[in-house]
Amino acid sequence: MKAGEERRPADEGRPLGLRRHVRRAATLLLVAGVGALLAVVLWTPVPGWPAASHRLLELSFPVLLLAGGALSAYDLFLGRWLAGELTRVAGPRIVEALLPHQVMETFLDSIYGPNEANRDVVTGILGGEGRRPQGKDLTISTHTDVHLELRAVDEERYHLTTAVTYSFRKNVPVDRFIIFATSSALLRDSISSGCQLPLFELWFFPDAENFQNTVDEMRPSVRLAIEYLDHEGVHHAAPASKLHLQEVKYQRWADYLSFFREDMGRLPRQNTADYLGELRIFECDLSAIASDDHRVSAIERLSVRATALLSIDEGYCYWQAPYPCYVDRILFTVKELAIDGADSYEFYIAPFTFRSNTASGRWLTADELPELEVRSWFLPGHGVALLWRPDRGR
Amino acid sequence: MRVAAVILGAAALVLFAVTVLWRDPSSEAGGIGHQAAAQLWLPLAVVALLFALYERFIRDRLTAEVAKIAAPSIVGALPPEQVMESFLESVYGANNANRDVIASVLGNNLTVSTKTEVELKLSSVSDSYYRFRTTTIYDFSQHVMTDRFVLFVTCDARLRDSIAFLCDFPLFELWFLPDRDLLQNATTSLAGSAKTEMEYVDKDGQTRRFSWRNIDLREVKYNEWPRYLPLFRDAVEPYARQHARDYLSTLRIFEWEFAELPGGPEIQAVTHFGLRQSSLQLVADRFCYWQVPYPCFVDHIDIDVSDFNPGEDEWQFNAMPFCFRASNTANSWLPAEQLTSVELRSWLLPGHGIVLLWRPAELPRGTL
């Protein structure tokens, strides 16, 4: 009761009145109980009605005392505790007690209206499904560095090396790293929500014809460096190393992507056989790259580097965040896109972000291209595109 | 709670022991004590057991149940900023940049468009220039309470970043023109070309509607800018307070007050708002883009490049969406007649958008 009074002073008439009644009842019961006890002890009745009353008093005094005691206890401690308990369960802190996806779903339904597409926003903001307490299934990178390096191979093709370092907010309890490579735009958009393993990289090559070749060429270029905790909780670092990427057979795809098992929101269950030519999944056991035969139990920091062979006349490349990432900076190394003495290029950075800070909004030469100090959150879908065109000033 | 359970349990045990061990109380008072013990131990034990059970099993389940039942109303009743703020802090950790996420999810003053139609039309004017016409039509889930539409035009990238999060008026549009000369010379004609369509509730609660018509955009003088952007009044993290006069050559603000509308000047809410504007751009830029100003659910984006044919080249186009999902996008270079629409069926938050790129179809080797 007291807690109630403190919280709502305007409403104190009713609780106070009630409280007075409770106190009076408790006192009455206690007095009656003690009276009955005294009567039982001090009164030696004669047989007949008095003896029967004595027996009645003898039987009833513990009940009266117990009831009085319980009421007093309620008045003194229990009521306050109960109110506290209710506040704890149902107050604003409920937001913290709820599962992340419950909060976000409820919240988005209330401001966006019910919509299947809210689910994408929920997983996008959470970096996972948010179905485990304390955000244990969420992948969120609080410090992210991105480096895109473009290097011409010949006059038509170039190597795009993407190196990204993620530092995770909560250690990611996983010992496997997955790479999804797809040429299907539908899969590209669904993999982030459908993948239940928190650490993954997504390669998207829209060119279906060269898909298999591109992936095969890119596969050996993958380098991973990790900082991790072993099973005893001891911190270790494993430097960048070449790794053994094992291809996952299509019969097991359903273990990796939920939409091969069941409907996912609006997306009906997909059949793995339909994607044989459009999807490849690779996995890597992180314990294998850990030094000294440690077994990896959680990842603190992850650096991924991969190189793709692409066509220069595409005129653009881009990086998009796979899960929520606070990006510190994005660095472009583009000088070698032009082979010595041949055409040089002008570049344009088109940021698709909350903030871009240093983006200039102009076509720049390779020397002028700044390092982007972004310092902003990227949600999935946010990213940065780098465009180029022949430098007509030369 | 645990302590109470232990004390009560111990008391019950003692009383039980008294009842059992002390079989033959010699005095009458002893008999009464025995009687009291015999009657009290069981209720005390039951209470102790209840306490222990609550603590051990029921409490968490109760919390979860109450949370499930009460969450929608509680989360719905709390101010949205408060929910998002405490929630994001628990998920992302404390970070100043969380504010951007909050503002972008909530929209400026809860401006959220649940049905958004977008059309991008490119038509060439000469070999070097093309006309870029964008048409966006928003349907607002929560009616937007405002008395004006505000248009910001800037060539300052930092200012562009801040305006979306800082504008005090819920209905606004932001144009980013990278070129300073273009900003000064072309903006007035650009603003003059703007057309709107609108549905609104007038002060008598009557719904009114008009379709595409020119609007009278008035330029806001720089000494009034602080009313439109808090950045010119106070420091707003991460920026120090800015002085309007430092941005004379990089920012222009226009507004259209709803005073002239039938049923105005005080209208209750805007439920539907369409804006069409066009501008001249350079073909050599090789791309154009569109981004959302507030959270918008976009079903698809119509693209019309059939009249884009500068010079003698054939052109190819590529639409690259930046959003949560873009189901049917081919992400490949297509001739004009094949690129007519991009299906998104997705929420776009500020920063999300689409880039449209073009290049000559036949590429002489090595020259791009």
Side-chain angles (χ1 to χ4, degrees):
Chain A
M1 287 294 130
K2 207 152 195 169
E5 283 167 23
E6 280 163 11
R7 289 168 58 78
R8 290 174 311 185
D11 209 10
E12 65 192 2
R14 197 174 52 82
L16 255 189
L18 186 63
R19 191 171 172 185
R20 204 174 294 136
H21 287 302
V22 170
R23 259 190 200 166
R24 192 175 296 159
T27 319
L28 275 177
L29 283 170
L30 282 176
V31 168
V34 173
L37 177 64
L38 286 176
V40 170
V41 177
L42 301 177
W43 181 30
T44 319
V46 290
W49 279 109
S53 324
H54 186 267
R55 181 75 189 135
L56 185 68
L57 286 175
E58 203 177 7
L59 283 173
S60 56
F61 84 86
V63 178
L64 290 171
L65 282 180
L66 199 66
L71 263 185
S72 310
Y74 175 78
D75 185 42
L76 291 175
F77 325 102
L78 272 182
R80 200 183 307 176
W81 171 81
L82 209 63
E85 213 40 20
L86 277 178
T87 320
R88 193 187 67 80
V89 171
R93 285 188 55 208
I94 199 166
V95 172
E96 287 161 36
L98 288 169
L99 293 176
H101 86 104
Q102 281 177 315
V103 182
M104 277 315 287
E105 265 166 27
T106 317
F107 180 67
L108 286 184
D109 281 356
S110 77
I111 55 170
Y112 288 2
N115 186 333
E116 281 282 351
N118 292 358
R119 189 191 151 106
D120 294 333
V121 185
V122 172
T123 33
I125 290 173
L126 295 180
E129 296 225 323
R131 289 180 188 278
R132 290 173 58 190
Q134 280 126 37
K136 280 189 183 145
D137 57 345
L138 307 182
T139 315
I140 293 162
S141 169
T142 48
H143 286 286
T144 317
D145 274 330
V146 182
H147 184 185
L148 298 181
E149 190 177 340
L150 287 69
R151 190 186 295 255
V153 176
D154 53 35
E155 286 180 342
E156 290 170 26
R157 294 172 305 161
Y158 74 102
H159 270 141
L160 171 66
T161 303
T162 311
V164 187
T165 302
Y166 306 96
S167 302
F168 298 108
R169 160 142 167 83
K170 295 202 167 121
N171 297 339
V172 184
V174 73
D175 59 357
R176 276 186 297 169
F177 177 74
I178 316 287
I179 292 178
F180 297 100
T182 181
S183 61
S184 150
L186 176 70
L187 288 191
R188 173 198 61 189
D189 294 330
S190 311
I191 282 172
S192 303
S193 335
C195 175
Q196 272 137 20
L197 291 158
L199 282 195
F200 63 90
E201 190 83 356
L202 177 60
W203 297 344
F204 175 62
F205 302 111
D207 182 358
E209 247 172 66
N210 296 319
F211 173 66
Q212 304 288 351
N213 284 342
T214 315
V215 174
D216 284 333
E217 277 165 21
M218 195 163 171
R219 188 173 160 188
S221 75
V222 180
R223 299 283 181 281
L224 274 192
I226 51 173
E227 286 180 30
Y228 62 96
L229 298 180
D230 65 15
H231 280 266
E232 272 106 52
V234 183
H235 173 95
H236 301 277
S241 57
K242 200 172 168 176
L243 44 121
H244 180 61
L245 282 175
Q246 187 151 23
E247 179 143 18
V248 176
K249 295 211 175 69
Y250 85 93
Q251 294 93 331
R252 286 182 53 222
W253 285 0
D255 299 342
Y256 293 77
L257 292 169
S258 64
F259 51 78
F260 287 132
R261 292 194 302 271
E262 60 201 13
D263 295 353
M264 189 180 83
R266 249 184 345 210
L267 183 71
R269 181 172 167 239
Q270 302 290 305
N271 194 344
T272 49
D274 297 344
Y275 292 99
L276 286 183
E278 300 178 19
L279 175 68
R280 293 177 73 179
I281 303 179
F282 301 97
E283 77 172 345
C284 150
D285 180 4
L286 292 174
S287 296
I289 59 170
S291 43
D292 305 334
D293 300 329
H294 293 123
R295 285 189 53 215
V296 173
S297 78
I299 305 295
E300 294 177 321
R301 209 172 143 91
L302 169 78
S303 304
V304 191
R305 210 173 86 110
T307 304
L309 187 63
L310 299 166
S311 165
I312 292 180
D313 68 21
E314 286 285 308
Y316 78 104
C317 64
Y318 65 94
W319 176 79
Q320 280 181 323
Y323 24 72
C325 293
Y326 180 81
V327 178
D328 295 287
R329 56 186 201 139
I330 302 179
L331 190 67
F332 303 94
T333 309
V334 295
K335 278 189 192 141
E336 292 181 45
L337 185 63
I339 290 178
D340 310 329
D343 306 302
S344 64
Y345 297 93
E346 285 183 307
F347 298 88
Y348 189 100
I349 299 171
F352 284 81
T353 55
F354 292 134
R355 287 174 189 280
S356 51
N357 287 327
T358 44
S360 71
R362 283 192 300 120
W363 286 93
L364 304 164
T365 63
D367 296 319
E368 293 171 322
L369 207 62
E371 178 181 307
L372 273 192
E373 296 278 345
V374 188
R375 288 195 292 274
S376 170
W377 282 105
F378 280 42
L379 300 183
H382 282 138
V384 57
L386 178 72
L387 305 113
W388 58 89
R389 64 179 186 190
D391 184 355
R392 290 166 309 156
R394 287 177 55 134
Chain B
M1 195 72 191
R2 193 167 296 166
V3 178
V6 170
I7 293 175
L8 286 173
L13 261 182
V14 170
L15 289 178
F16 179 67
V18 167
T19 317
V20 176
L21 298 178
W22 188 23
R23 286 211 171 261
D24 258 334
S26 45
S27 67
E28 194 179 352
I32 293 158
H34 185 265
Q35 168 103 25
Q39 287 193 22
L40 282 174
W41 77 265
L42 191 62
L44 284 180
V46 168
V47 171
L49 190 69
L50 282 179
F51 274 28
L53 278 178
Y54 176 81
E55 181 73 22
R56 184 81 179 76
F57 302 108
I58 303 173
R59 184 178 175 153
D60 289 344
R61 192 166 295 181
L62 185 77
T63 309
E65 283 300 312
V66 171
K68 208 181 289 171
I69 297 164
S73 55
I74 290 174
V75 172
L78 290 171
E81 267 102 343
Q82 197 184 321
V83 178
M84 274 299 278
E85 212 174 304
S86 61
F87 178 69
L88 277 188
E89 199 166 308
S90 75
V91 184
Y92 286 5
N95 187 333
N96 273 339
N98 291 359
R99 258 194 330 255
D100 295 347
V101 185
I102 298 170
S104 78
V105 171
L106 296 182
N108 204 22
N109 303 309
L110 289 176
T111 311
V112 175
S113 167
T114 44
K115 184 167 163 279
T116 317
E117 287 172 44
V118 187
E119 191 208 39
L120 310 178
K121 184 175 164 60
L122 280 65
S123 38
S124 40
V125 175
S126 68
D127 286 357
S128 319
Y129 288 95
Y130 70 97
R131 185 170 294 283
F132 180 37
R133 193 184 80 174
T134 57
T135 308
T136 24
I137 304 171
Y138 308 100
D139 270 308
F140 299 114
S141 61
Q142 311 202 348
H143 298 171
V144 174
M145 244 81 93
T146 185
D147 59 350
R148 71 195 66 204
F149 163 71
V150 184
L151 172 67
F152 298 93
V153 190
T154 182
C155 59
D156 184 309
R158 281 168 198 262
L159 212 52
R160 172 190 60 180
D161 291 340
S162 326
I163 286 172
F165 300 117
L166 293 177
C167 172
D168 279 343
F169 294 94
L171 198 61
F172 68 94
E173 198 81 16
L174 170 64
W175 297 348
F176 179 65
L177 299 176
D179 192 281
R180 201 175 275 226
D181 293 333
L182 210 59
L183 178 82
Q184 292 307 324
N185 302 328
T187 303
T188 313
S189 65
L190 203 63
S193 77
K195 289 182 173 185
T196 61
E197 75 165 14
M198 197 163 136
E199 189 179 278
Y200 61 97
V201 183
D202 70 14
K203 64 175 188 299
D204 302 320
Q206 199 186 340
T207 303
R208 289 171 186 261
R209 178 177 191 116
F210 62 83
S211 61
W212 299 109
R213 63 179 232 191
N214 285 316
I215 51 172
D216 187 18
L217 281 169
R218 177 186 78 87
E219 179 148 15
V220 177
K221 294 208 181 67
Y222 87 94
N223 48 14
E224 292 175 54
W225 286 0
R227 269 185 61 214
Y228 294 79
L229 284 178
L231 190 63
F232 294 129
R233 299 195 297 266
D234 305 296
V236 184
E237 283 278 336
Y239 305 105
R241 182 181 163 223
Q242 306 291 308
H243 291 283
R245 63 174 177 277
D246 297 338
Y247 290 89
L248 283 179
S249 60
T250 52
L251 173 70
R252 293 179 76 179
I253 303 178
F254 297 86
E255 68 171 2
W256 171 50
E257 289 185 78
F258 298 155
E260 47 161 303
L261 288 178
E266 291 161 17
I267 69 167
Q268 280 188 23
V270 180
T271 52
H272 172 103
F273 185 78
L275 181 71
R276 175 176 292 159
Q277 53 99 7
S278 55
S279 58
L280 278 187
Q281 310 265 358
L282 283 168
V283 172
D285 273 344
R286 298 215 172 200
F287 79 100
C288 62
Y289 67 94
W290 175 80
Q291 283 177 315
V292 292
Y294 11 78
C296 291
F297 181 78
V298 181
D299 187 73
H300 63 276
I301 295 178
D302 284 321
I303 296 175
D304 181 355
V305 285
S306 53
D307 290 337
F308 184 90
N309 41 19
E312 290 167 8
D313 296 311
E314 286 282 308
W315 296 85
Q316 288 180 326
F317 302 87
N318 191 344
M320 165 75 205
F322 280 83
C323 60
F324 290 120
R325 63 168 58 242
S327 312
N328 83 331
T329 331
N331 261 112
S332 49
W333 292 93
L334 299 170
E337 60 274 14
Q338 283 181 31
L339 185 67
T340 52
S341 165
V342 176
E343 268 180 54
L344 300 180
R345 284 197 216 104
S346 169
W347 282 101
L348 271 67
L349 302 182
H352 284 146
I354 186 169
V355 200
L356 181 65
L357 304 117
W358 55 88
R359 66 179 187 187
E362 291 297 323
L363 291 162
R365 177 166 284 228
T367 56
L368 189 84

